[in-house]
Amino acid sequence: MAKDIDTMEDSNPSSAPSIHEMSDPARRTVLQGGLGLALGGLMAPWAAGTAADEGAGPLLGFKSVPVSTADAVVVPEGYVAEVIAPWGEPVGLAGNMPAFKADAGNSGAEQEAQFGMHHDGLHYYPLNGASDRGLLAINHEYVDPGLLFTDGMKTWTADKVRKALAAHGVGIAEARLAEGRWQLVRPSRWARRITTATPMALGGPAAGHALMKTAADPDGRRVLGTLGNCASGITPWGTYLTGEENWIFCFSASEEPTGHLKRWGLRKGPAARWQEFDERFDATKHPHEPNRFGWIVEIDPMDPTSTPVKRTALGRAAHEGATVALTQDDRAVVYSGEDARFEYLYRFVSRDRMKPGGAAANATLLDHGTLFVARFDADGRGRWLPLVHGQGPLTVANGFADQGEVLIKSRQASDALGATRMDRPEWVAIDSRTREVYCALTNNYKRGMAGEPGPDAANPRADNTMGQIIRWKEDGDHDGAAFSWNHFVLAGDPANARADAKGNVKGDAFACPDGLWIDARGVLWIDTDMSTRQMGRDDAARLGHNAMLAADVRSGEVRRFLTGPVGCELAGATMTPDGRTMFVSIQHPGETASEISDPDRPTRFSSWPHGGRPRSAVVVIRRRDGGLIGT
C-alpha cells in the first residue's frame, strides 16, 4: 500500500537498544567510519561464497524497459500484457454476477459478488496441475472512497459501509487460457468472495482469550471478516495465507487511546467512519475488537464452503504477508514482516510435521509452534528471539499473563526482547536452492530524525527514502537459532546528490522495494512502492512510475521488466507452473497524495485500464513466442 508517508503508522516508542548500543566500541567505530566500509565488510563473505555460481549463465534475457510516466503498463519487447479481474468485475458466483457500473453505482450487495478494491498479493492454483486452467486468489487491501462511491463521502449511509467492507478481503476466481487469451470462467463452482463480513474462526493460543472476547462474541472464537489484506503466501499443503496489514485505520476512537491500543497505532478520530453503521469499529466502545485483527488468515481456495481461520500462533502485527518453507523433517516455517516504521521481522516454526493429505490433514499445523522475532547484530550475525511466555521479560510481572497475551501483544513482547527495529519489513522471498531468505525494507524517512532511532547495520541510512533488500541464511535448517546476514542491495539512484539516496544497484535504478518473489528459475522479482508524495521528492525525480524489476541473485544484476500506470504500485506476482504466464497486481492507479480521490474528477490522474475511473486489476503477461518469462 502506497501510504501517505506523513500519516502512516509510527507507533513504536520502544527503548530497545539499537545495534550500535548492543555492539562493542570497536564495532561502533567501524560503522561510524562510513556506510561503504560497514557494508563492504558484511558483503565480502557471501560475495566470495557465490562466485562459483557465476558460470551458470545469465538468468535475465529480456531488454530492460525505460523509465515511464505513461498511464499504461509497459513490458519488454516481445511481451504482451492484458488485463483480467479488475475491481468491480464479478468473480463468477452462480446466479450472482452483477456488472460493474462505470459511475461506481454498484450497491454493497453487488460488491460482495465482485472483485474488491486495490489488488495486492495473489497466487495461481493450477487445476489438475494445468498451466492453462486454474484459480486466482487475489488480496484486496483497502478502499478509496472517492472512487468506490459516486459522490465519495459527501453522503454517508449503511450501504456505503457495507460496500466498503465488501471491497476488502480476498477474491477467488477461475481462469483459463483459451484462443490465446486468459479469461475468467463464470460461473465457477470455486468462485468466492471473502470480505470484512465473512465469518472466520480463531485458531491457536489466543483463541478464546479474554482479550479476544466481545459483546458479539463472548467466547472469543469467531470473528467477522478480514481487512487490510496485503501480501500473500502459499503453503505446501495447498492453502492460501493473507496478511492483515493496515487494519488499525478502520477503527475509530472518541478518546485519545493509551497503553495497548496506542502502541498499535489507534488515534483519536472518526477514521473510516464505519463505526457510524457498524459499532464494532468503535474501539472506545469495543476495545477488544481491534485485537481480533492483525493476524495471518489461512484459506482453502479449493473448498468454497470452508471457514477461513486466523492463525494466532503466528503473532499479531500489521502483517505484510507470510512466506512458508519446510525444514528437512517437514515442519512448517513461516516468515513475516510488519510493514510499519521501526517494527519487526518474525519467524514461526511449527511444533508438528506436515502430513500427507493436503489442507484437511494439516488443518491445525499452524496452531502449534514457536514465534520468534529477529535481532540483527552489527557483525553480520543475528539471532531469533523466542516470544514464549515465562522466558526472559515475557512474564506476568511485565504485563503478559499467558502465551495468548504474548501473541496479542507481539509488538510489546518484541520491544521487551530488544529485537531490531526495522525500516518497514514487507514481503519475504526464499531461494529454495540456497536457503537464503530475502526481505524488502521499503523505506523510513524518520530514521535518524530527532527523537527517532538512528542508522544501524541492518538499516544503515538516515532519511531512508530509498529502502533496501536484506537477506540471511539460517545456521543449519530454517529453524536455526542464529543466522548470517547481509544486504542484497541498497535501492537508490546513483545520480542523486545525497549520498544516502544513491544506493548500490547494479543495473536499473529503483526505490522502495515492496513485493518480492523468487520464481522456479531463481529470478528475484521486485515490485516497487513509491508513494505519490515520494515521487515528488528530488530523490525520485528520475525514477518515473513504480516498476517491477528482475534480479539475478548470483550476479546482483537488476533489470526493469515492467512499469505501471500513473499513481499505481506493483503489488504481487505469480506464474503458471510452466513459467510461460505471469500474473501481476496493479494497485491504486491514479492514487493522489491525499489517498482519497476527488469523486467529481475520478479520472483526473489516471483512467487505466479501460478509459474510465481507474480500477486496480491483474495484468497477464506472456511472451509472444510462448517462451519462458524473463529469459
Side-chain angles (χ1 to χ4, degrees):
M1 173 181 179
K3 307 167 187 67
D4 178 343
I5 60 175
D6 291 324
T7 60
M8 67 176 287
E9 190 191 348
D10 179 13
S11 310
N12 191 350
S14 169
S15 58
S18 70
I19 286 177
H20 293 298
E21 294 164 332
M22 290 188 296
S23 61
D24 60 48
R27 173 60 60 180
R28 290 198 296 271
T29 301
V30 170
L31 290 172
Q32 291 165 357
L35 179 61
L37 178 60
L39 294 180
L42 293 178
M43 290 285 192
W46 276 8
T50 57
D53 296 331
E54 297 296 332
L59 282 177
L60 311 180
F62 62 90
K63 180 182 178 181
S64 294
V65 299
V67 166
S68 172
T69 57
D71 192 28
V73 170
V74 179
V75 291
E77 296 174 6
Y79 287 77
V80 61
E82 298 172 323
V83 173
I84 194 172
W87 157 52
E89 191 77 7
V91 297
L93 302 174
N96 189 10
M97 293 187 284
F100 176 73
K101 295 180 180 179
D103 67 349
N106 289 102
S107 68
E110 289 172 327
Q111 178 65 77
E112 290 168 351
Q114 301 169 324
F115 287 103
M117 258 195 154
H118 293 349
H119 300 33
D120 207 299
L122 76 168
H123 188 67
Y124 174 85
Y125 289 86
L127 292 174
N128 299 316
S131 288
D132 61 358
R133 181 168 172 256
L135 304 184
L136 284 174
I138 305 168
N139 284 351
H140 303 299
E141 188 182 1
Y142 71 109
V143 300
D144 179 342
L147 297 177
L148 184 63
F149 310 120
T150 302
D151 68 346
M153 298 178 75
K154 295 177 182 178
T155 60
W156 199 240
T157 66
D159 193 65
K160 283 188 170 182
V161 173
R162 180 179 180 178
K163 186 176 182 181
L165 297 179
H168 282 258
V170 178
I172 299 173
E174 183 180 351
R176 68 174 180 176
L177 179 62
E179 299 179 353
R181 297 192 67 177
W182 281 87
Q183 52 195 284
L184 297 178
V185 177
R186 294 178 293 198
S188 169
R189 66 186 181 94
W190 287 287
R192 187 178 188 185
R193 272 306 321 279
I194 295 166
T195 74
T196 314
T198 301
M200 303 194 172
L202 288 164
H209 195 278
L211 291 172
M212 301 290 264
K213 296 178 180 180
T214 64
D217 176 29
D219 293 330
R221 295 183 179 275
R222 303 284 291 183
V223 178
L224 274 185
T226 182
L227 54 84
N229 302 87
C230 197
S232 58
I234 58 171
T235 68
W237 51 95
T239 58
Y240 183 76
L241 303 178
T242 178
E244 297 181 325
E245 189 191 19
N246 290 297
W247 44 272
I248 196 65
F249 300 116
C250 300
F251 287 88
S252 71
S254 58
E255 302 172 359
E256 192 63 40
T258 59
H260 173 56
L261 289 175
K262 183 176 182 180
R263 178 63 184 88
W264 286 86
L266 185 67
R267 300 291 182 264
K268 181 180 179 180
R273 295 183 64 187
W274 295 357
Q275 81 287 351
E276 294 178 27
F277 293 97
D278 191 337
E279 191 181 274
R280 65 188 169 122
F281 291 101
D282 186 333
T284 302
K285 294 181 179 179
H286 301 282
H288 288 179
E289 189 68 28
N291 295 336
R292 295 147 65 85
F293 293 88
W295 304 102
I296 299 294
V297 184
E298 185 173 17
I299 299 165
D300 183 355
M302 297 296 178
D303 182 2
T305 67
S306 63
T307 300
V309 182
K310 299 195 177 192
R311 300 296 183 189
T312 67
L314 276 61
R316 181 164 168 261
H319 278 294
E320 180 72 16
T323 304
V324 183
L326 288 177
T327 60
Q328 293 178 7
D329 64 356
D330 286 337
R331 284 173 297 126
V333 178
V334 184
Y335 295 98
S336 61
E338 181 166 22
D339 181 14
R341 286 190 290 259
F342 304 115
E343 297 299 348
Y344 301 111
L345 181 63
Y346 294 97
R347 184 191 70 176
F348 168 84
V349 180
S350 71
R351 180 193 68 189
D352 303 323
R353 299 180 182 183
M354 183 184 74
K355 301 175 182 177
N362 295 282
T364 62
L365 183 61
L366 298 182
D367 286 341
H368 308 286
T370 303
L371 182 68
F372 301 83
V373 65
R375 189 188 76 197
F376 292 83
D377 294 331
D379 59 358
R381 297 283 293 164
R383 294 197 63 82
W384 290 106
L385 311 175
L387 278 74
V388 175
H389 183 257
Q391 293 187 14
L394 307 183
T395 63
V396 173
N398 289 322
F400 302 99
D402 49 33
Q403 184 62 22
E405 188 160 1
V406 168
L407 296 168
I408 292 167
K409 297 180 177 179
S410 297
R411 284 185 175 179
Q412 294 97 314
S414 299
D415 295 343
L417 290 170
T420 302
R421 293 168 285 175
M422 306 295 285
D423 287 347
R424 295 181 55 196
E426 302 220 37
W427 287 66
V428 175
I430 301 171
D431 189 335
S432 60
R433 293 168 176 77
T434 64
R435 290 189 299 102
E436 292 169 354
V437 187
Y438 295 74
C439 180
L441 303 173
T442 293
N443 58 44
N444 185 354
Y445 81 96
K446 287 196 172 183
R447 176 74 63 178
M449 289 181 62
E452 302 284 1
D456 58 39
N459 307 276
R461 296 185 286 185
D463 187 15
N464 182 14
T465 59
M466 298 286 105
Q468 63 263 20
I469 298 175
I470 200 167
R471 67 177 168 185
W472 64 92
K473 189 171 185 177
E474 313 287 6
D475 291 356
D477 209 342
H478 279 293
D479 62 344
F483 55 89
S484 298
W485 70 270
N486 68 11
H487 291 100
F488 173 66
V489 66
L490 301 180
D493 180 353
N496 281 331
R498 188 167 65 92
D500 278 344
K502 290 178 178 291
N504 63 359
V505 181
K506 185 179 178 181
D508 294 329
F510 69 94
C512 304
D514 185 340
L516 295 182
W517 176 65
I518 296 179
D519 70 17
R521 295 193 306 114
V523 177
L524 175 64
W525 296 91
I526 304 167
D527 295 329
T528 71
D529 180 14
M530 297 180 289
S531 70
T532 305
R533 287 192 180 190
Q534 188 162 0
M535 290 180 191
R537 287 184 57 136
D538 291 343
D539 292 348
R542 289 164 295 278
L543 298 180
H545 292 169
N546 279 307
M548 177 184 225
L549 305 102
D552 184 334
V553 297
R554 305 165 307 172
S555 66
E557 180 188 4
V558 178
R559 294 188 192 179
R560 190 179 301 106
F561 178 77
L562 177 155
T563 56
V566 174
C568 86
E569 71 169 278
L570 282 298
T574 185
M575 278 187 190
T576 53
D578 64 6
R580 300 177 190 277
T581 300
M582 174 183 274
F583 302 91
V584 179
S585 287
I586 305 293
Q587 188 184 109
H588 59 67
E591 181 196 57
T592 70
S594 69
E595 293 189 15
I596 298 180
S597 298
D598 182 349
D600 296 327
R601 295 188 293 171
T603 61
R604 179 184 177 189
F605 298 107
S606 175
S607 58
W608 189 88
H610 299 309
R613 67 180 54 227
R615 300 163 69 186
S616 296
V618 173
V619 291
V620 185
I621 302 168
R622 304 181 72 220
R623 277 178 48 165
R624 295 185 185 278
D625 63 5
L628 296 175
I629 301 294
T631 59

